Amino acid sequence: GAVVSQHPSRVICKSGTSVKIECRSLDFQATTMFWYRQFPKQSLMLMATSNEGSKATYEQGVEKDKFLINHASLTLSTLTVTSAHPEDSSFYICSARGPGVSSYEQYFGPGTRLTVT
Amino acid sequence: GQNIDQPTEMTATEGAIVQINCTYQTSGFNGLFWYQQHAGEAPTFLSYNVLDGLEEKGRFSSFLSRSKGYSYLLLKELQMKDSASYLCAVRDRRRVIFGTGTRLQVFP
């Protein structure tokens, strides 16, 4: 159980376009999901916390107007990279807090590799 | 502020034991995680410590000292497949913050 999927796994887009990445919890409901970005040979950097039915909480330095997060249901959160630039090329990973009020574990999606040309 | 430090790289020999250290300073503490991440893949959960002491799980053990802001991951009987990055992460009041990660390379 506790499987998280992401779609697409890889995407290439042109500068100036927008890209939407989906994160789904397949067999549990996740009121909270997290979006991370990871550059090559670096650790995960938390971008934002996505809460179902409310606005996302962005980390310092992350532009909320550029990285739009929508958590419309208990199983789906989306990250839209707007007006993409080559420096946005990165590995984007989502995670969902496990089922249960006392759950501490985060389950990670397989990641989406974004390349902006 | 938030600060989670780990060595950047480590090397070890197949069959040996290696200890990966993590020190942290965070605003609030609600547990410490260790994750394994192979290149190009998402992290996978290894362990979670919320109380002081050693948690053993097969070849992997994790230790926590909250008063010292210190944890380590111990890997025994190293195998080639253990070559990966190991991420220390701390849960504060509302989120999980990752450390810099340690790239472990196991040689035959």
Side-chain angles (χ1 to χ4, degrees):
Chain A
V3 177
V4 176
S5 71
Q6 274 184 250
H7 178 80
S9 57
R10 289 178 180 271
V11 58
I12 300 173
C13 70
K14 293 185 178 180
S15 289
T17 61
S18 295
V19 174
K20 180 186 284 188
I21 302 170
E22 293 185 348
C23 177
R24 293 182 185 272
S25 55
L26 298 185
D27 49 4
F28 67 100
Q29 294 182 333
T31 56
T32 303
M33 291 184 173
F34 303 89
W35 286 97
Y36 293 87
R37 180 168 53 182
Q38 186 175 35
F39 293 105
K41 296 188 177 181
Q42 295 187 22
S43 190
L44 280 72
M45 292 193 62
L46 181 64
M47 299 176 66
T49 302
S50 171
N51 300 298
E52 187 269 335
S54 64
K55 291 183 179 180
T57 303
Y58 289 83
E59 295 300 303
Q60 194 171 7
V62 178
E63 300 174 58
K64 60 182 180 182
D65 294 330
K66 178 171 179 64
F67 298 98
L68 302 179
I69 291 173
N70 184 283
H71 195 153
S73 78
L74 288 171
T75 59
L76 173 65
S77 175
T78 60
L79 168 68
T80 302
V81 183
T82 63
S83 187
H85 288 273
E87 56 262 33
D88 296 327
S89 298
S90 187
F91 193 46
Y92 291 86
I93 306 176
C94 73
S95 71
R97 187 171 291 160
V101 174
S102 61
S103 176
Y104 57 80
E105 189 167 341
Q106 285 191 123
Y107 297 91
F108 285 85
T112 297
R113 187 161 301 284
L114 169 64
T115 303
V116 184
T117 60
Chain B
Q2 314 278 51
N3 200 31
I4 304 172
D5 286 322
Q6 305 175 233
T8 306
E9 292 185 350
M10 297 182 72
T11 60
T13 307
E14 198 174 12
I17 299 173
V18 71
Q19 177 174 311
I20 303 174
N21 296 324
C22 171
T23 58
Y24 65 89
Q25 288 179 306
T26 56
S27 55
F29 178 84
N30 286 299
L32 185 144
F33 300 85
W34 283 96
Y35 286 86
Q36 180 192 60
Q37 185 181 27
H38 286 98
E41 299 180 10
T44 54
F45 173 81
L46 290 178
S47 67
Y48 175 68
N49 294 67
V50 66
L51 299 175
D52 290 351
L54 186 68
E55 297 273 348
E56 296 187 73
K57 191 186 292 186
R59 293 189 299 115
F60 293 3
S61 302
S62 57
F63 171 83
L64 174 67
S65 169
R66 289 172 296 171
S67 62
K68 296 181 179 177
Y70 168 71
S71 173
Y72 67 73
L73 179 70
L74 193 71
L75 293 77
K76 304 175 186 175
E77 301 170 17
L78 280 173
Q79 302 175 9
M80 297 297 292
K81 66 178 182 180
D82 296 330
S83 292
S85 287
Y86 291 86
L87 311 177
C88 170
V90 173
R91 185 180 177 194
D92 66 10
R93 294 188 195 94
R94 61 176 180 89
R95 67 218 167 133
V96 175
I97 302 296
F98 282 80
T100 50
T102 299
R103 280 195 303 278
L104 173 67
Q105 200 161 5
V106 180
F107 292 98

